[in-house]
Amino acid sequence: MKKYPNILILNNQSIYNCNATGITLRNILSGWPAENLCELHMDRKAGENDKRNNIHSEYILDVVPVYYLIRKIHNLLNKTKKNHSTVNDVQGAKNVTSQGNMREVINRLIDVSPVCGTIHWEKYLKGFNPDVIYTCGASVSVMKIALKLSRKYNIPIVLHFMDDWAHYLQNESIIGSKWYKGCLQKYLKKCYVKSVSNFAISPYMAEDYEKETGISHIALMNAVDFEKFYNLSQNSGDSIIFTYTGGLHLERWKALKDVETALTKLKQNGYNVKLKIYTGSQEMIPEDYFDNLITEVHEQVPHSEVNKILKEANVLVHVEVQNPILMGFFKYSISTKIPEYMAANRPMLLYAPQNMKLLEYLCENEIAFTAYEKKQLYDTIEEIITDSGKTTRVREKAVQFVQDNYEVKYVREVFYETICKVTQM
């Protein structure tokens, strides 16, 4: 019978947040006994979800007093004023960007504010005795708290890097970025002293981080319930449906417009094609941006129902945009949806910058169709439609690849073995 160490999960957001990081963490941790898990977070929206999933979870923002006070003020202001900003014109986009930059400056200042000198841990842990701290880091406050816990209980820290925040900020053009990045790196070095093994979101990231630090980094990505996502039959409707699911942040709506343009040309050449976008961020799309004769924009569906959307598709689409501000931060990132796409038994199309590790990863393993420029995008889509032999080979290879590398049992076993090794249990 397996013996499970007690894991203390510590992050800015709860593992039950509905975003991609929350999904990835839930999929990895769902196989761990609830009584061996305890979560400390700063996510004000997470309470009810935590209770439903029977994991002891505590909101600990009050141990960062300045952060806690600002959040309280922000919540009070939101009750009297709701922001309905949409990106409908260039000036509106500039205003939204300026407001976002100012918020980010404030958030960074708050993040480096002092943590309480004395913390009564029993108030939050309620008898839970942790063997290890598991955190995504990416926050000075979170790493300060992790270090306090590590010293208090004499336990190791395991970091899970989802993006390359150790070297780049998501936006380095904002005033004070160099100083804030230095603060992050200072506390990351302190966490590494308490670390013997960590996780990274991709093999390339794990390899590079291990070379840099001399500390073990293991590739651990989103775990997929293969049987849930796998669809044996192919969609045989009148239209060839290209489907994108997920957020439109990081200017992905611009890349999806390029996909639509390529599909429009193919439609003019006699192919009955459609683009379907399922997203919870429709407000990011400029007014009348997409052609409704080609593109349908739908509301995002709950993650538990994404497999149904994938089943209706012929081709699954993922996009990223060439943005020098964002490029470093997301260099190694692998979207949560990528293994889900592969498991769905549908050909995948990635349209992304050539220097992204994700594009290199998919090309190297021959598990997706890829393009990094507009002319190539048209040719690639046409190849997916016309070369059924290659499309079948790529699709079948992706299915096998996800079973070997992302299947939930495999990912959870890698996680279990690493945690047991770290805790010497």
Side-chain angles (χ1 to χ4, degrees), residues 61-66 113-121 124 145 148:
L61 191 63
D62 55 340
V63 305
V64 191
V66 175
S113 65
V115 172
C116 288
T118 302
I119 300 175
H120 300 289
W121 294 113
Y124 306 103
I145 297 168
K148 280 181 171 287

Side-chain angles (χ1 to χ4, degrees), residues 38-56:
C38 177
E39 180 186 41
L40 303 182
H41 64 80
M42 304 179 186
D43 192 341
R44 68 184 185 276
K45 299 178 181 178
E48 291 305 313
N49 283 328
D50 294 338
K51 291 173 186 175
R52 284 201 299 269
N53 287 275
N54 299 318
I55 291 176
H56 175 63

Side-chain angles (χ1 to χ4, degrees), residues 274-341:
K274 283 185 179 180
L275 174 62
K276 292 188 177 183
I277 300 170
Y278 293 85
T279 183
S281 42
Q282 293 189 32
E283 75 283 354
M284 293 184 179
I285 305 173
E287 192 173 359
D288 299 325
Y289 189 70
F290 289 110
D291 180 355
N292 58 18
L293 295 177
I294 293 287
T295 303
E296 298 176 7
V297 180
H298 301 271
E299 284 292 333
Q300 183 179 12
V301 299
H303 185 255
S304 58
E305 297 178 19
V306 166
N307 59 319
K308 299 174 185 176
I309 300 301
L310 304 188
K311 185 177 182 179
E312 296 171 357
N314 296 95
V315 181
L316 300 173
V317 179
H318 184 60
V319 296
E320 299 289 356
V321 175
Q322 180 70 54
N323 186 324
I325 294 175
L326 302 170
M327 204 61 243
F329 185 80
F330 292 105
K331 178 173 67 172
Y332 295 105
S333 304
I334 295 181
S335 173
T336 297
K337 70 171 73 72
I338 297 299
E340 296 173 352
Y341 277 12

Side-chain angles (χ1 to χ4, degrees), residues 235-254:
N235 181 17
S236 56
D238 294 334
S239 299
I240 303 170
I241 299 172
F242 289 71
T243 297
Y244 172 85
T245 65
L248 299 181
H249 55 300
L250 312 179
E251 299 183 327
R252 286 175 179 165
W253 45 275
K254 291 183 178 179

Side-chain angles (χ1 to χ4, degrees), residues 253-268:
W253 45 275
K254 291 183 178 179
L256 286 169
K257 183 64 177 179
D258 289 346
V259 174
E260 182 194 73
T261 300
L263 292 176
T264 299
K265 292 178 182 177
L266 285 159
K267 192 175 184 70
Q268 292 168 352

Side-chain angles (χ1 to χ4, degrees), residues 62 82 97 179 186 203 239 245 295 331 368 393 416:
D62 55 340
K82 291 186 178 180
T97 300
W179 167 76
K186 173 185 174 181
S239 299
T245 65
T295 303
K331 178 173 67 172
R393 287 194 302 275
Y416 174 78

